[in-house]
Amino acid sequence: MTPAYAPADHPRIAPARTGILIANLGTPDGYDYWSMRRYLNEFLSDRRVIDLPRWKWQPILQGIILTKRPFSSGANYKTIWNEEKGESPLMTITRDQAQALRERATAEWGEQVMVEFCMRYGNPSTHEVVGRMVQAGCRRILFLPLYPQYAGATSATANDQLFRALMEQRWQPSVRTCAPYFDRSDYIDALAGSVERALEGRKPSRLVASYHGMPKRYLTQGDPYHCQCRKTSRLLQERLGWEDGIIDTSFQSVFGREEWLRPYTVEHVAELARQGHSDIAVISPAFAADCIETLEEINGEIRESFEHAGGKGFTYIPCLNDDPAHIEVMMNVIRENIGGWV
């Protein structure tokens, strides 16, 4: 529309709207070498992820890691790829989450609200989606990183990228970022519901809550991620009404030679098998959507580690994905943070 009393040559301005933008980690465009290399280069060049000095890290990354790792990572992605849609499961699930939220938001607030999703690494990029939302008239944007527990390498870098995208906008929208939701009662209820459905009333000898790992050094430098993971596990145990000691907290996806948060899931499940725990289940409370770390790493490498050590029963409990209970958690977070805007 053209503003009232404006000259005839005034540029058209879209009607004001409120935007809701959810963000996930990201995904390569394909599992071929160059797609994987572009994605890994962006991911592993992020100083929030690898904080070594550039002069020290970039020669290793460009000369060694990005020469070999795209082949192995691409082979892993190929085993889980959604061939029908030509994309990774993370992309499919995140789009489904955004669509479910869009339908809920439209029913509640009408066309004044716009819901989109972006990825921190890869496509659709945060820069692209923020630009599209501003062009569509979003004068306010609520940003929800899809990480239940806060970490500098996840929530913070997603926020960093949002702010970088805003630097490109001549007319910047007002912005709010959502806090992590690791201890919300509705989130814990949703996790517990997924456990109960997957196990169908059965109680394994151990439920392993496997969270994405990070260097132990980050904890000592003040990152709250480790403590928030531990609290999620404790609250889940209380909600399920299970006795102490049945839920273990561990960490996966270790990278490099530096010590990371322990215990490492791949080693821990093998030790459980050696201790005689022949029936375990694994859940991933840090992931809002199933991805390479859950579908391939947990259901592949970690399962094999357990079985190779003598374990028999291994149940992987899927992420909350676009389950209605998970969508309701997101909607509750959105409602609490969007107050006064709609």
Side-chain angles (χ1 to χ4, degrees):
M1 66 179 185
T2 301
Y5 309 111
D9 61 349
H10 192 286
R12 294 181 62 81
I13 299 176
R17 307 172 75 185
T18 295
I20 298 168
L21 179 57
I22 63 173
N24 215 321
L25 180 75
T27 171
D29 295 325
Y31 50 77
D32 59 282
Y33 175 84
W34 290 108
S35 294
M36 290 302 313
R37 184 181 175 109
R38 285 193 299 272
Y39 174 72
L40 291 172
N41 184 47
E42 183 180 10
F43 176 44
L44 297 176
S45 293
D46 185 351
R47 293 296 304 279
R48 290 276 194 182
V49 176
I50 306 290
D51 64 354
L52 296 175
R54 288 184 59 84
W55 65 265
K56 185 176 184 179
W57 172 241
Q58 282 298 317
I60 298 172
L61 176 63
Q62 303 297 330
I64 301 175
I65 295 174
L66 293 181
T67 300
K68 300 179 179 179
R69 194 175 178 94
F71 290 110
S72 59
S73 295
N76 291 338
Y77 266 98
K78 186 176 181 179
T79 65
I80 66 165
W81 202 253
N82 184 341
E83 295 289 358
E84 181 181 350
K85 294 189 175 182
E87 61 190 23
S88 74
L90 178 69
M91 177 69 77
T92 305
I93 294 166
T94 307
R95 181 187 295 108
D96 290 343
Q97 290 171 331
Q99 179 58 31
L101 289 172
R102 187 176 297 118
E103 293 171 0
R104 295 286 299 274
T106 300
E108 194 159 331
W109 297 304
E111 295 301 323
Q112 65 172 316
V113 171
M114 178 180 185
V115 179
E116 294 292 338
F117 75 94
C118 66
M119 300 293 182
R120 169 59 183 89
Y121 314 104
N123 297 304
S125 71
T126 307
H127 287 71
E128 170 201 337
V129 178
V130 167
R132 177 158 28 94
M133 296 178 79
V134 170
Q135 287 295 314
C138 291
R139 304 286 177 260
R140 299 163 296 273
I141 294 178
L142 177 65
F143 187 65
L144 173 55
L146 295 181
Y147 308 109
Q149 300 79 18
Y150 174 94
T154 54
S155 306
T157 192
N159 289 336
D160 290 345
Q161 197 72 344
L162 170 68
F163 301 141
R164 292 189 192 100
L166 293 174
M167 292 172 65
E168 299 178 355
Q169 298 304 317
R170 187 172 298 277
W171 187 352
Q172 286 185 332
S174 299
V175 169
R176 294 174 182 170
T177 60
C178 296
Y181 52 96
F182 66 99
D183 58 353
R184 290 180 59 97
S185 60
D186 51 2
Y187 166 65
I188 300 300
D189 285 345
L191 283 179
S194 71
V195 171
E196 291 166 344
R197 287 192 301 274
L199 298 179
E200 298 179 328
R202 176 176 56 87
K203 184 188 294 186
S205 62
R206 280 291 192 278
L207 172 62
V208 178
S210 179
Y211 299 82
H212 198 289
M214 73 175 186
K216 183 178 180 180
R217 172 171 50 88
Y218 292 7
L219 167 63
T220 61
Q221 292 172 344
D223 195 301
Y225 178 71
H226 177 265
C227 299
Q228 293 184 1
C229 293
R230 292 278 182 185
K231 187 171 184 180
T232 297
S233 295
R234 176 174 61 81
L235 293 175
L236 176 59
Q237 176 186 317
E238 292 174 359
R239 166 61 179 77
L240 289 168
W242 290 357
E243 64 273 18
D244 290 344
I246 197 169
I247 297 183
D248 294 342
T249 296
S250 63
F251 301 89
Q252 63 183 89
S253 308
V254 177
F255 178 78
R257 298 179 180 178
E258 184 175 2
E259 183 177 4
W260 282 41
L261 297 176
R262 289 182 179 272
Y264 301 153
T265 304
V266 68
E267 297 176 356
H268 184 64
V269 297
E271 181 61 25
L272 288 176
R274 286 191 288 269
Q275 292 174 0
H277 295 281
S278 60
D279 177 27
I280 70 169
V282 181
I283 189 172
S284 301
F287 298 93
D290 275 306
C291 54
I292 189 72
E293 286 86 357
T294 63
L295 298 174
E296 193 281 328
E297 185 177 0
I298 291 181
N299 228 2
E301 177 189 0
I302 291 169
R303 176 191 289 271
E304 290 171 5
S305 176
F306 176 71
E307 293 175 348
H308 183 73
K312 302 298 181 183
F314 184 100
T315 302
Y316 170 63
I317 300 171
C319 294
L320 294 177
N321 297 326
D322 61 342
D323 182 86
H326 194 204
I327 300 301
E328 184 62 24
V329 173
M330 295 186 205
M331 281 299 297
N332 288 337
V333 172
I334 289 167
R335 290 187 188 103
E336 293 170 12
N337 284 274
I338 209 171
W341 278 4
V342 293

